[in-house]
Every structure is written in C-alpha cells, then in structure tokens.
Amino acid sequence: AGIGGPHPLKERRGFLDIRKEPGGVIQHSVSGEDLALINRLAKAELTAQQVYTFAVRLCDNEVDRDWERFGPEALEELGRLFEGKCGIFDHNWSAKEQTARLYKTEICQEAGVTLAGDACRFLKGYAYMLRNEKNSELIQEIEAGIKKEVSIGCSVTCRVCSICGQSGCSHLGGREYGGKLCFFTLTQPTDAYEWSFVAVPAQRKAGVIKAFGEEGGL
C-alpha cells in the first residue's frame, strides 16, 4: 500500500487496511487544558514554554475518489484510536522520526454537505512536541506553512454499500442504480496505526489505498 515498511497489522487477515490523504496542519496555541492532557502522557511534567502544539486534519466524512467514506461512528472511533499516537515522516516507522504526539482529538463540523448528503465533518487531532534543538527546524517549517500535509493509516472491518447495505456486494462505486448513487461507507475501525507528515504535497481529495486480507477479506 505504499507505506514505508511492514506493519504487524498488515499480516492480519480479514481487515481492510487503508491510507487516506491528505489532511492539513492547523495553527494552535497551548492552553492550560492542553498542558494538563499533555502531562498525562509525559513522564516528567512539562511547562507551556517547553512544548509546541499544533493541530492536524486527520480525515473526514466526504466520499473520496474511490467512492468510499468514513461514517460518523467510524470518525468517533478513529478519534479514540488516534489519541496518544506519534506522528512520523513519509510513513517511515523509525523511532527517531517519531517527533510529535497526539494528545486529544475532536469531531468538527464545517459548512457544506457531503456527496452522501450529510453535514461535512472532519476529525481534528491536537499534537505536541518539545521545543528543543532537534525539533526547531520542524517547528519553523510548520509555522512557515512548509510542513502542511499529513496522511493517516488505519484498519477497518468492512465497507457498506449505499445501494444494498451489504459488504462485499457486486455494486460499483460511482454508478447510479435506480437513480441512487453507489458509494461505500467504511465502518468499525480496529486500529489507527499512523499519522504522517508527507514531504511531497498530497493531492486534494485523494482516495484510499487498500490491502485485502487473504481470508475473510472484503
């Protein structure tokens, strides 16, 4: 699926592994509430002067170019799964690349209606990193808008067809059946295993990259 290195989840069968991109980096300033959440994850108590915080748009509920989308329950569950996960670079799972960590998430609503006909929502994650020499260049690039694209990797159990309500049917996404558009809703996330800064600007509204299990797959 184009992710830089094997992941234990890839070896499990019966799951749909996906990578959805892009999201964007959003400016955010640390507050007292943020600091309390951050210190729940830190081994030593940190001060506001020691940390740099920012937010990222992780994923949304819009129908993508592969005619797939996350449902509201999936977004909520992904929010819980992503909390505490470290960010990496270009899907490289080297420990030295794990610089920032998500300390909270929330579902945000924005103007407009999705292709599926419901209100536009997206999963927003709040991340922190230490203000030190190692991270100074990255902080400057975020502030300057150079590091501004992120993508996520996760696993879900199935995708549900908008036409028949089944998983694994013969309907084709993007086609109309009886005047009704076919698309698939990704449901029941089982893991959120990465969020990554991407060096090359990602294409807006990019689709889902899939890896199917050998047995019990979708």
Side-chain angles (χ1 to χ4, degrees):
I3 297 177
H7 186 279
L9 188 60
K10 294 289 182 183
E11 300 175 2
R12 295 173 61 183
R13 298 177 177 181
F15 291 91
L16 175 64
D17 291 327
I18 65 173
R19 192 179 81 207
K20 188 173 179 62
E21 52 187 15
V25 175
I26 305 166
Q27 295 292 332
H28 176 70
S29 298
V30 65
S31 67
E33 178 185 353
D34 292 316
L35 196 58
L37 292 171
I38 289 168
N39 280 319
R40 290 174 59 184
L41 300 172
K43 290 185 178 180
E45 187 168 347
L46 301 171
T47 67
Q49 290 71 37
Q50 289 177 295
V51 297
Y52 173 79
T53 60
F54 60 98
V56 290
R57 183 186 178 108
L58 293 167
C59 54
D60 58 41
N61 65 336
E62 182 57 276
V63 178
D64 65 26
R65 66 180 180 183
D66 284 339
W67 305 101
E68 295 175 337
R69 67 191 292 269
F70 289 114
E73 294 83 3
L75 283 181
E76 292 281 357
E77 182 60 24
L78 284 172
R80 288 186 284 271
L81 292 171
F82 267 115
E83 286 187 6
K85 295 297 173 68
C86 290
I88 55 179
F89 291 88
D90 291 328
H91 305 285
N92 178 3
W93 292 0
S94 169
K96 67 180 181 180
E97 300 295 344
Q98 298 179 13
T99 300
R101 191 177 190 183
L102 293 175
Y103 62 91
K104 72 174 180 178
T105 61
E106 66 175 336
I107 304 297
C108 299
Q109 188 165 328
E110 56 189 346
V113 177
T114 69
L115 193 59
D118 50 5
C120 293
R121 295 181 177 88
F122 68 93
L123 177 60
K124 184 177 182 179
Y126 295 83
Y128 77 96
M129 69 177 78
L130 294 177
R131 288 186 180 272
N132 55 27
E133 185 177 354
K134 173 180 176 289
N135 296 333
S136 61
E137 183 177 347
L138 176 57
I139 292 173
Q140 290 177 20
E141 290 179 338
I142 291 174
E143 290 286 335
I146 297 171
K147 282 286 190 298
K148 60 181 181 180
E149 301 287 351
V150 298
S151 63
I152 67 165
C154 64
S155 180
V156 301
T157 303
C158 63
R159 58 178 195 165
V160 178
C161 175
S162 63
I163 302 300
C164 64
Q166 302 297 315
S167 177
C169 66
S170 60
H171 292 117
L172 300 177
R175 291 194 178 181
E176 288 192 0
Y177 297 85
K180 185 177 180 181
L181 179 67
C182 177
F183 58 86
F184 301 93
T185 299
L186 301 170
T187 66
Q188 302 173 36
T190 58
D191 197 4
Y193 50 80
E194 67 175 34
W195 63 278
S196 176
F197 290 101
V198 287
V200 179
Q203 179 183 353
R204 295 301 299 167
K205 302 298 183 183
V208 174
I209 299 173
K210 295 173 275 298
F212 293 88
E214 295 179 14
E215 294 179 359
L218 304 175

